[in-house]
Amino acid sequence: MKVTFPHMGYLWIPVSALLRKLGLDVVVPPPITRRTLSLGVQHAPEFACFPLKLNLGNFMEAYERGADTIIMAGGVGPCRFGYYAQVQQEILWDLGYKMKMVVLEPPKGHWWGLWKRIRWLIGERSVRDLWRALGFAWHKFVALDAIERAACWARPRAAAPRDVRRAVETAVRWVHEAETADQVREAREEGVSLVRSHAVRSLRDPLKVGIVGEIYTLLEPFANYRLEEKLGALGVEVDRSLYLSDWIRAHVVLDALRVSGEHEVKQAAQPYAPHFVGGHGQDTVGRTVLYARHGFDGVIQVMPFTCMPEIVAQSILPRVAHDYGIAVLTLIVDEHSADAGIQTRLEAFVDLLRRRRSKKKHDAVARAQAGK
Amino acid sequence: MRIGIPRGLLYYEYFPLWKCFFEELSAEVIVSGPTTKRILDRGVQTAVDEACLPVKVFYGHAAELGDCVDFLFVPRVVSVEPRAYTCPKFLGLPDMLRASMVLPRLLSPTVNMRRNRRQLLAAVRQVAAELGAGPVKTWRAWRRAVAAYRRFKEFLRQGYGFEDAVSLALGQNRHLARQAPPARDLTVAVLGHPYLVYDQLVGMNLIQRLRSEGVRVLTADSFTPAEIEAKVRNLPKALFWTYEKQVLGAALACLDRNVDGIIQYVSFGCGPDSMIGELIQRWVRRKRDIPFTLLTVDEHTGQAGILTRVEAFLDMVARKKARSA
Ligand code: SF4
Ligand code: SF4
């Protein structure tokens, strides 16, 4: 048995660490490229969401490298993600790809069934081994998030954006290669300082932009056309609202315990979106409110074309933007998006933010003078 | 008291229930007119571009009712059965509307039967309380409304058109003749959301057109809930969208009935349909060789183009049937 799983940002690092610790033979799908995308697009339904297509491409490329078993997360709706695995399975089946799909969700609501699937995967390993492996993977999640956060801070301050990208690659490789929890900690500390060391310019008050939206497009740089790097190169300090460990917390831990996400975010969304709408739609609204309250210059919502919860949020955001006077840009991505087009829109948005800043400063000066 | 009901989305699923209930509570029900180009344009202007066609149509109707009613009835229908949801857009519908236009007071109960069927009754009580009705009156109104809804579904099942089923269910028209038996021995299923296929403008009168060509037409409403359930019971994973389950189950049930062709009618960019459409096509192809066509519409779709495709499809179905006979 050779197991594989879909890509989502650096998810592959902790997940492959977890599976290897459990003694499984892992095939990490090759990094997402145009080829991955075109495989997915060719065989997935035309109007399926973007992540489904990229997942499918990952599976097909992993199959070429010998994978025969897919580990996939599931869901209970109302979002499409909960049915991804079943649709992908049908497609692979019809293509003659003999791959077994193991969906980590309680089948028909029975936890026992989920446990049986896990048991089947881990074979003779004990529950303690499983627990240890999970703990180890968790350290990697935390380390990767710290490195990505450092990168957001360093990019606008670097001499060349390329430097930060290279530093991140190195730091991430250290985390990947770490074999023990201590090594992971070390990799994190050294990685973060390596990334931060490229911040050579001091910025007193950089433009700040929060990024909200659908989780896959937030976390996977291929899917968001390297949004964070583009903004960093434009001198913007980015705050991303969701990291991998947040996803684990929300989808694995909290979902299992049946408690809903962060209270503060839900509270902030309350006047505009008082009810859960699937996916991260309500969070998108709540986090936009929070960014506005924390004095950010702008917010960018990223989402795949036809993403339902984010369309709900997108419909509501203009009202938030109006009430709080914050600039919001919605970036919709799919296989038809073009890098140059996104670059142009980001440049225009950053220009707008700069103008708004200087107007604010100007107004403040004028007010002070009038007061005298 | 005047309660406005936009003629869109779940109107096509529950209108007799709502109307009967509100009238029993002595409210006046005002429905926006059938969808026109103008209503659609209004919706297209107010909604975000990415919204699906039915949501845009709904916006148009809500705007249309705007200031001539005291309340606008836009329920938040989260779930109508255990362990299932509706579309995410129904979960956020009142919020989307409120953020996009100036509205009269919204009457917007939350219906969420995902964990508990009885939650529905709480929603009913909440609405009645907002309209100032007492418990006894409410209960009687609700019982009658449910009865009207059952009749409505039964008439649809028997093959009455949407408008006829509504007026029969509400007892407005006791003597409507049954549809004349079809002239040709040809059965075609038109599967899709009721708010698409029953809407006069965006549904392009497809059902009536086919009937006037002498074709027997089935819709997702032609099957009993038991038939649908039996078909979806063996899915690899239970489908968590109630209304899509209806469509998928109907498609599978078509394989058992004497159906000669299936037309799936979907909105461009519809999330749930992109998934079940794929499953339907694959399963239909695998199980039995029934001609199948997928018609995707949005606000730019020309009627002529769709009708030509339907004509061609019908020809193909008829030829295939003649050959196999
Ligand atoms: S959140 Fe959006 S992209 Fe993700 S599964 Fe749902 S609809 Fe698709
Ligand atoms: S089910 Fe499809 S057509 Fe209906 S509201 Fe949702 S996305 Fe739109």
Side-chain angles (χ1 to χ4, degrees):
Chain A
M1 176 170 68
K2 286 185 177 226
V3 296
T4 190
F5 52 85
H7 270 304
M8 180 167 78
Y10 294 120
L11 179 72
W12 65 277
I13 293 177
V15 170
S16 61
L18 168 69
L19 298 175
R20 288 202 177 107
K21 281 263 170 208
L22 292 171
L24 289 163
D25 201 351
V26 181
V27 178
V28 176
I32 303 178
T33 58
R34 296 301 300 181
R35 176 172 187 268
T36 321
L37 176 59
S38 66
L39 281 175
V41 167
Q42 203 181 328
H43 300 289
E46 187 183 354
F47 295 115
C49 17
F50 196 34
L52 183 146
K53 298 177 184 173
L54 290 170
N55 285 179
L56 186 66
N58 287 153
F59 299 152
M60 295 172 70
E61 288 186 325
Y63 181 79
E64 290 165 0
R65 301 196 170 188
D68 54 17
T69 305
I70 299 166
I71 299 183
M72 192 54 192
V76 293
C79 209
R80 277 181 272 185
F81 185 70
Y83 229 72
Y84 269 22
Q86 286 68 27
V87 171
Q88 288 162 340
Q89 172 87 80
E90 295 294 326
I91 297 170
L92 292 170
W93 190 287
D94 277 346
L95 285 174
Y97 283 49
K98 287 176 204 66
M99 298 179 92
K100 184 177 164 66
M101 184 85 79
V102 182
V103 190
L104 295 184
E105 64 182 344
K108 303 205 157 82
H110 298 315
W111 290 97
W112 181 241
L114 173 59
W115 174 241
K116 273 205 306 220
R117 284 181 192 177
I118 295 175
R119 208 42 298 172
W120 180 81
L121 271 178
I122 65 177
E124 291 310 301
R125 305 273 155 163
S126 70
V127 178
R128 261 192 58 201
D129 288 341
L130 176 63
W131 193 245
R132 275 217 206 100
L134 283 171
F136 178 64
W138 178 251
H139 283 298
K140 293 208 172 188
F141 274 119
V142 175
L144 292 165
D145 289 354
I147 291 167
E148 290 210 82
R149 281 204 171 88
C152 283
W153 181 83
R155 278 189 202 108
R157 296 171 171 85
R162 215 176 334 117
D163 300 343
V164 179
R165 190 201 279 205
R166 250 191 247 127
V168 169
E169 276 164 14
T170 311
V172 161
R173 202 183 54 240
W174 288 341
V175 174
H176 177 49
E177 285 163 0
E179 301 271 350
T180 64
D182 283 340
Q183 285 175 5
V184 176
R185 199 164 304 127
E186 219 170 282
R188 184 186 76 200
E189 280 158 16
E190 282 173 23
V192 167
S193 50
L194 173 70
V195 171
R196 291 180 78 103
S197 72
H198 287 281
V200 289
R201 289 192 293 156
S202 73
L203 290 178
R204 237 199 305 123
D205 198 9
L207 280 180
K208 286 183 126 187
V209 169
I211 305 189
V212 299
E214 188 275 333
I215 183 138
Y216 184 89
T217 45
L218 275 180
L219 296 186
E220 177 50 60
F222 183 90
N224 63 34
Y225 293 76
R226 304 200 163 266
L227 173 64
E228 290 176 21
E229 286 178 27
K230 286 194 167 75
L231 285 169
L234 292 171
V236 173
E237 188 173 321
V238 171
D239 188 276
R240 195 210 287 165
S241 58
L242 271 172
Y243 283 85
L244 266 178
S245 57
D246 297 319
W247 187 79
I248 301 295
R249 222 172 280 146
H251 285 263
V252 184
V253 186
L254 297 184
D255 243 19
L257 301 175
R258 294 269 178 272
V259 281
S260 58
E262 289 133 288
H263 191 63
E264 192 198 4
V265 180
K266 303 267 177 284
Q267 203 79 51
Q270 200 64 29
Y272 303 98
H275 200 280
F276 163 72
V277 295
H280 291 81
Q282 195 188 12
D283 290 19
T284 294
V285 175
R287 286 181 195 277
T288 304
V289 170
L290 291 179
Y291 280 132
R293 284 198 198 139
H294 292 153
F296 275 63
D297 295 280
V299 170
I300 297 180
Q301 179 198 20
V302 257
M303 65 189 238
F305 184 56
T306 77
C307 172
M308 304 179 283
E310 294 301 326
I311 290 176
V312 174
Q314 184 198 4
S315 311
I316 296 171
L317 286 183
R319 180 46 62 89
V320 179
H322 174 262
D323 289 356
Y324 283 89
I326 190 169
V328 176
L329 171 73
T330 295
L331 211 55
I332 297 165
V333 291
D334 70 356
E335 63 268 28
H336 305 298
S337 314
D339 207 64
I342 290 178
Q343 180 70 32
T344 316
R345 292 191 60 200
L346 291 179
E347 282 168 14
F349 186 65
V350 172
D351 268 352
L352 169 82
L353 298 184
R354 289 237 154 78
R355 274 198 312 268
R356 285 172 69 135
R357 262 246 186 132
S358 57
K359 181 166 183 303
K360 242 187 237 160
K361 226 182 259 163
H362 188 84
D363 289 353
V365 172
R367 233 175 313 158
Q369 279 171 349
K372 245 184 252 164
Chain B
M1 205 170 340
R2 292 140 69 90
I3 299 180
I5 298 182
R7 191 185 293 258
L9 297 178
L10 294 180
Y11 161 89
Y12 288 100
E13 197 76 44
Y14 301 113
F15 176 62
L17 178 96
W18 296 343
K19 180 168 163 87
C20 179
F21 182 66
F22 287 132
E23 289 189 342
E24 287 287 328
L25 295 183
S26 335
E28 188 187 344
V29 172
I30 300 191
V31 184
S32 50
T35 311
T36 57
K37 188 82 185 57
R38 196 178 64 111
I39 292 180
L40 173 60
D41 287 343
R42 246 178 129 166
V44 170
Q45 277 158 21
T46 18
V48 291
D49 279 351
E50 285 67 27
C52 53
L53 180 60
V55 165
K56 289 176 180 161
V57 169
F58 190 85
Y59 269 58
H61 283 281
E64 196 72 5
L65 284 170
D67 13 78
C68 57
V69 294
D70 302 309
F71 287 96
L72 196 63
F73 183 60
V74 186
R76 189 194 302 278
V77 182
V78 176
S79 162
V80 293
E81 62 179 337
R83 283 184 295 282
Y85 281 107
T86 62
C87 171
K89 289 179 192 161
F90 294 159
L91 274 63
L93 190 60
D95 311 325
M96 291 163 77
L97 273 187
R98 209 173 303 152
S100 318
M101 58 178 101
V102 184
L103 291 170
R105 205 165 136 198
L106 280 194
L107 193 56
S108 180
T110 298
V111 176
N112 186 351
M113 297 156 74
R114 201 169 115 75
R115 286 196 201 144
N116 184 354
R117 280 184 190 277
R118 302 179 60 82
Q119 191 280 343
L120 175 62
L121 298 180
V124 170
R125 273 199 298 273
Q126 182 203 331
V127 172
E130 246 179 280
L131 300 178
V136 179
K137 201 172 173 191
T138 306
W139 181 239
R140 204 179 48 213
W142 179 245
R143 292 272 301 272
R144 296 214 169 128
V146 170
Y149 173 69
R150 294 226 170 95
R151 287 197 298 274
F152 163 67
K153 282 291 185 185
E154 185 51 40
F155 286 123
L156 282 179
R157 200 141 44 231
Q158 290 173 7
Y160 285 96
F162 176 79
E163 306 296 337
D164 293 347
V166 169
S167 56
L168 282 167
L170 293 171
Q172 291 160 340
N173 202 337
R174 280 169 214 291
H175 305 293
L176 260 181
R178 285 287 279 273
Q179 293 276 339
R184 294 157 75 182
D185 178 26
L186 205 59
T187 307
V188 169
V190 178
L191 304 180
H193 288 289
Y195 43 78
L196 271 179
V197 296
Y198 295 149
D199 185 291
Q200 285 191 14
L201 185 76
V202 297
M204 304 190 182
N205 276 325
L206 199 56
I207 297 177
Q208 291 87 319
R209 272 174 218 272
L210 288 170
R211 284 192 174 137
S212 64
E213 298 242 352
V215 176
R216 199 163 88 91
V217 181
L218 297 182
T219 65
D221 281 315
S222 308
F223 302 87
T224 62
E227 259 176 293
I228 302 279
E229 281 303 326
K231 284 295 154 194
V232 296
R233 197 168 298 137
N234 298 322
L235 295 185
K237 171 179 178 175
L239 201 60
F240 46 66
W241 295 301
T242 300
Y243 302 122
E244 266 65 25
K245 195 168 74 182
Q246 188 78 22
V247 172
L248 179 61
L252 296 176
C254 283
L255 297 173
D256 299 347
R257 291 217 198 164
N258 252 336
V259 173
D260 303 304
I262 300 177
I263 297 176
Q264 200 193 351
Y265 202 72
V266 305
S267 161
F268 177 86
C270 171
D273 275 350
S274 70
M275 305 290 275
I276 62 144
E278 183 73 9
L279 296 177
I280 291 177
Q281 285 191 49
R282 287 174 189 272
W283 289 340
V284 166
R285 213 186 311 133
R286 259 184 242 160
K287 293 214 175 92
R288 215 184 100 195
D289 187 23
I290 300 187
F292 175 96
T293 189
L294 179 74
L295 300 178
T296 307
V297 289
D298 68 5
E299 59 268 33
H300 310 298
T301 308
Q303 180 157 319
I306 291 285
L307 295 182
T308 317
R309 285 189 54 193
V310 171
E311 280 301 320
F313 179 72
L314 215 52
D315 283 348
M316 195 256 280
V317 172
R319 247 181 294 123
K320 184 156 189 281
K321 175 142 189 164
R323 227 181 303 127
S324 62

